[in-house]
Amino acid sequence: MTVLTDVKAEVARRESALPAPAEQIAATFEIRYRRFLDPSGKPVAELPTFARDREAMVSLYRAMVLTRQFDAKAVSLQRTGQLGTFPSSLGQEAATVGLGAAMHADDVLLPTYREHGALLWRGVTFVEMFLAWSGDERGNAYSGPREDFPPAIPIATQATQAAGVAAAMMLRGQKRCAVCVLGDGATSKGDFYEAMNLAGVWQLPVVFVVNNNGWAISVPLEHQTACETLAQKAIAGGFVGEQVDGNDIVAVRHAVGEVVERARAGGGPGLVEALTYRLSDHTTADDATRY
């Protein structure tokens, strides 16, 4: 056995001394895309367990309808001077409700300004949301998820905050997760990259959900980045990113749920890019017909 070991060691030494090939592959990566429902709502793949539960699916659908009703009411209030500038989530209901439904009650949500559905799902009331969008800070003192952050108006600032929240959870030994939601434009900001880098190095329990609706206000995605996907930006942070159909409530709920469970169990961060589309202006102060 000793002779065989010595021979193997000598072979390995000689092979290591050989000149390396002039060119070789250092690493390979792939980005997975998931969808369970086609645009008409028909299954195109085997549904996950929760999607076979009628009550669970009715609850998700009800939340999407409520989100759209809230959205329409908020726009009406803004147009009549009773509410400040408002960002519509019209068309993105599946993405925002799906990510909210994937979280645990003790997780912490750090949303951007278009996650009305996630807030409603997690117990924030219509009254609180209307107060907040009218400029009354009492609306951000949520009666439900007390530790959730208010919507971030500056772009990507919540990303580094999410890394900090996740670090606190890790230091306290808590099996919890911080869920940071951003738009596609936020992935072009330095805050986003800094948070991703820290999350990867420290293996923080944080999940980044990027709602890619194709526009950063008036800037189309192809003018922001040359990347084929936004999910692949997670690779630079040293963790997994994937794409889902953001208009497929089952895909969003399932994909984000898997990443959240992994993060809570100590498996480190993850990123989910939800491909969706906003069907309205960026905010009520915008005119999308100009671009």
Side-chain angles (χ1 to χ4, degrees):
M1 179 67 80
T2 304
V3 173
L4 181 59
T5 302
D6 290 343
V7 170
K8 287 183 176 179
E10 177 62 17
V11 170
R13 186 190 67 78
R14 293 185 180 184
E15 287 181 345
S16 65
L18 294 174
E23 184 177 307
Q24 57 185 322
I25 297 174
T28 58
F29 307 96
E30 63 179 14
I31 300 299
R32 179 171 58 175
Y33 171 80
R34 286 200 271 190
R35 167 193 273 182
F36 290 98
L37 305 175
D38 68 14
S40 67
K42 295 180 180 179
V44 294
E46 183 178 354
L47 297 175
T49 302
F50 78 85
R52 300 180 206 139
D53 183 329
R54 184 180 185 279
E55 289 188 10
M57 294 306 295
V58 169
S59 294
L60 290 171
Y61 181 71
R62 180 177 183 272
M64 288 193 290
V65 172
L66 279 175
T67 301
R68 184 161 290 197
Q69 290 178 327
F70 167 79
D71 194 276
K73 184 64 174 178
V75 172
S76 295
L77 289 172
Q78 192 280 329
R79 295 308 190 201
T80 55
Q82 300 175 74
L83 211 64
T85 299
F86 180 75
S88 171
S89 64
L90 185 65
Q92 297 186 205
E93 293 87 358
T96 180
V97 171
L99 72 91
M103 296 175 65
H104 290 242
D106 64 343
D107 291 333
V108 174
L109 177 66
L110 295 95
T112 183
Y113 41 73
R114 220 179 293 276
E115 273 58 67
H116 319 310
L119 295 176
L120 289 170
W121 182 275
R122 288 180 57 75
V124 181
T125 68
F126 274 31
V127 171
E128 288 166 344
M129 293 173 69
F130 284 135
L131 277 173
W133 285 111
S134 67
D136 191 328
E137 284 295 332
R138 288 174 295 179
N140 292 322
Y142 303 142
S143 56
R146 296 292 295 174
E147 293 185 297
D148 282 4
F149 279 48
I153 306 304
I155 305 301
T157 54
Q158 74 273 31
T160 47
Q161 293 168 355
V165 169
M169 292 172 175
M170 176 178 283
L171 290 170
R172 293 170 180 168
Q174 299 172 334
K175 298 297 183 182
R176 303 169 68 191
C177 176
V179 177
C180 177
V181 191
L182 312 102
D184 47 279
T187 67
S188 298
K189 293 289 295 295
D191 315 56
F192 173 73
Y193 288 100
E194 291 161 12
M196 297 264 284
N197 185 65
L198 188 61
V201 169
W202 285 357
Q203 286 294 284
L204 297 176
V206 59
V207 175
F208 299 95
V209 180
V210 178
N211 282 331
N212 179 3
N213 63 23
W215 294 88
I217 307 183
S218 59
V219 181
L221 187 65
E222 60 268 24
H223 291 174
Q224 298 180 50
T225 180
C227 290
E228 291 183 80
T229 70
L230 298 180
Q232 72 197 60
K233 296 191 176 188
I235 296 169
F239 53 93
V240 177
E242 67 173 293
Q243 275 190 342
V244 298
D245 181 347
N247 293 336
D248 177 349
I249 185 72
V250 177
V252 176
R253 166 67 179 79
H254 183 62
V256 176
E258 282 191 344
V259 182
V260 165
E261 294 301 332
R262 186 174 70 236
R264 287 175 62 92
L271 183 148
V272 177
E273 176 190 359
L275 301 177
T276 182
Y277 196 82
R278 60 176 167 87
L279 299 175
S280 63
D281 299 328
H282 176 69
T283 69
T284 50
D286 178 42
D287 178 10
T289 62
R290 297 182 63 185
Y291 53 86

